[in-house]
Amino acid sequence: MHQIQLSIMLTLFLTLGHGLANADTTKRGEITGGVAHSAPDWFKESFLEIADDVDEANDSGKHVLLFFQLNGCPYCDRMLSEIFEADPLMSYIQEHFDVIAINVRGDREIAFNEELSTTEKKLSEQLNVWATPGIIFLDTNNKPVVRVDGYRSPDRFKHILRYVADKTYKQQKLATYLQQELKTSVYSLRPNELFSELTDLSSVSGPLAVIFEDSQCHDCVEFHQHTLADEAVIKELKKFTILRLDASSKAPLVDVDGNTTTPAEWASQLQMTYRPGVALFADGKLLRRYDSLLFRHHFKEGFRWISSGSYKKEDYPTYSARRTEELLAAGENIDLSR
């Protein structure tokens, strides 16, 4: 009997020891695809007294542009390279804007106005900067007039720059202005077996994704060739009803609330100023908007946050942090690149 007990204990020890050894030797995953990119040298060297910066910009006939960035952000790198460090837009921005870089995780003291003095990080939180680069344009009274959450291509961003520089924000909304300005066709809507043909969305059960594209979409080819072609993305998308709409269409459509509208009207109502824009719904409610370019990992995780039911118990930033740690601890690499 004693020998049997010893044998059992030895077996348990060896089994547990083997499991611990495997746990100890599991190589932690890595995050790749991030790009370190310093702000251009010509950005304003501000004392972060934003009201004073606005006054100085006014004296020069300019607007202040706040560029919220994150170290290692691949979208910041792309936008800085394509727009803020390349003509013709770089020269246009230098002529019409004073650009101030703000680190969304920074600890520098910043005075936004007389009522609000805080750190870069806390200001980013208070202004709800949830995507980087986050760009906020300020008017002559130090009030935000336009914000851009995430990457924009040069061909779309140039219209936003002109909209602010010409003070058109005093007369009309940005979405309306872009509809008027973006007239050159650069893209033909592509089919995809994931897309459903629906005109009444009020009857959709389960999670729903609505993709807005149009003929002026400079990033739609990349979206289809890279994001929608990725196996991990496809796996998550298959859990959704996917509807792709032409955001310029005036065809009748019944939205998730049962209202009769058109794709053009609905895109404007949802304030979708980027193409391709994506709106994610569950339980008949809008839960997440993609109004900027997202690469594969970030794109699919927004879908998974909903399809897994995590949205019912935690917000997306909490989910994203937990999920990142979960993947890395399991030895999986996270690629943030395209």
Side-chain angles (χ1 to χ4, degrees):
M1 184 68 178
H2 184 62
Q3 288 180 334
I4 294 175
Q5 290 177 329
L6 286 176
S7 177
I8 293 173
M9 292 178 64
L10 179 59
T11 300
L12 288 172
F13 175 78
L14 291 174
T15 302
L16 290 172
H18 179 69
L20 289 172
N22 283 342
D24 290 341
T25 59
T26 298
K27 184 179 179 181
R28 183 175 174 82
E30 297 179 348
I31 297 178
T32 63
V35 183
H37 196 141
S38 300
D41 293 338
W42 61 265
F43 275 23
K44 182 175 182 180
E45 285 291 337
S46 170
F47 293 108
L48 299 184
E49 299 280 347
I50 304 303
D52 292 342
D53 290 320
V54 169
D55 289 340
E56 292 177 13
N58 291 343
D59 293 340
S60 302
K62 297 181 178 182
H63 287 78
V64 165
L65 184 163
L66 302 179
F67 188 91
F68 291 82
Q69 61 182 351
L70 176 66
N71 297 335
C73 165
Y75 311 102
C76 300
D77 167 70
R78 183 165 175 174
M79 200 161 181
L80 287 171
S81 299
E82 293 179 352
I83 294 175
F84 292 86
E85 296 177 336
D87 276 330
L89 291 187
M90 179 180 72
S91 295
Y92 184 86
I93 295 171
Q94 290 174 323
E95 179 181 356
H96 295 282
F97 299 91
D98 283 341
V99 184
I100 300 171
I102 297 175
N103 185 341
V104 297
R105 294 182 181 171
D107 296 320
R108 291 186 301 170
E109 292 293 324
I110 181 169
F112 188 65
N113 51 40
E114 292 183 359
E115 293 78 29
L116 180 57
S117 293
T118 183
T119 64
E120 294 172 284
K121 178 180 179 180
K122 291 182 179 179
L123 177 65
S124 302
E125 293 172 352
Q126 292 189 28
L127 295 179
N128 194 29
V129 178
W130 56 269
T132 53
I135 296 173
I136 295 180
F137 296 89
L138 303 175
D139 68 7
T140 57
N141 297 313
N142 195 21
K143 303 294 184 182
V145 290
V146 173
R147 66 180 295 153
V148 176
D149 296 308
Y151 170 87
R152 291 293 187 279
S153 69
D155 290 292
R156 289 191 79 92
F157 194 64
K158 68 182 180 182
H159 295 287
I160 298 175
L161 291 169
R162 190 175 299 120
Y163 172 80
V164 176
D166 294 343
K167 299 183 180 180
T168 309
Y169 53 81
K170 293 184 176 181
Q171 284 84 43
Q172 62 183 161
K173 293 182 179 180
L174 177 60
T176 304
Y177 176 82
L178 291 176
Q179 287 177 350
Q180 296 173 352
E181 293 295 313
L182 296 168
K183 298 177 181 179
T184 303
S185 295
V186 296
Y187 168 73
S188 296
L189 273 65
R190 296 186 172 196
N192 190 300
E193 62 181 12
L194 294 171
F195 298 163
S196 300
E197 296 291 337
L198 297 171
T199 56
D200 184 353
L201 304 184
S202 63
S203 61
V204 174
S205 60
L208 167 70
V210 181
I211 300 174
F212 292 95
E213 299 183 348
D214 59 28
S215 61
Q216 292 81 41
C217 180
H218 292 271
D219 296 324
C220 281
V221 171
E222 176 179 337
F223 177 62
H224 281 262
Q225 290 182 345
H226 293 274
T227 305
L228 294 186
D230 183 78
E231 300 248 343
V233 171
I234 293 172
K235 178 181 177 181
E236 293 302 329
L237 264 61
K238 284 183 175 180
K239 303 171 185 176
F240 282 71
T241 297
I242 311 280
L243 179 66
R244 193 272 306 282
L245 297 175
D246 182 345
S248 63
S249 172
K250 302 296 177 61
L253 175 74
V254 178
D255 67 18
V256 294
D257 296 318
N259 301 313
T260 300
T261 182
T262 68
E265 291 174 352
W266 201 25
S268 178
Q269 179 186 343
L270 294 174
Q271 299 181 12
M272 306 297 285
T273 61
Y274 174 78
R275 307 287 184 267
V278 182
L280 302 184
F281 299 84
D283 305 323
K285 298 178 181 178
L286 175 64
L287 296 180
R288 189 157 175 79
R289 295 167 65 255
Y290 293 158
D291 199 34
S292 65
L293 177 67
L294 283 183
F295 297 149
R296 296 167 299 169
H297 174 74
H298 290 132
F299 188 81
K300 74 177 178 65
E301 285 302 323
F303 279 75
R304 188 182 182 279
W305 172 61
I306 295 174
S307 65
S308 66
S310 298
Y311 72 94
K312 298 178 181 179
K313 55 188 178 183
E314 57 188 353
D315 60 19
Y316 183 76
T318 303
Y319 162 82
S320 180
R322 178 181 61 77
R323 174 69 170 159
T324 297
E325 178 56 31
E326 178 182 277
L327 291 171
L328 295 177
E332 294 192 36
N333 295 329
I334 296 175
D335 184 1
L336 302 180
S337 69
R338 184 177 73 174

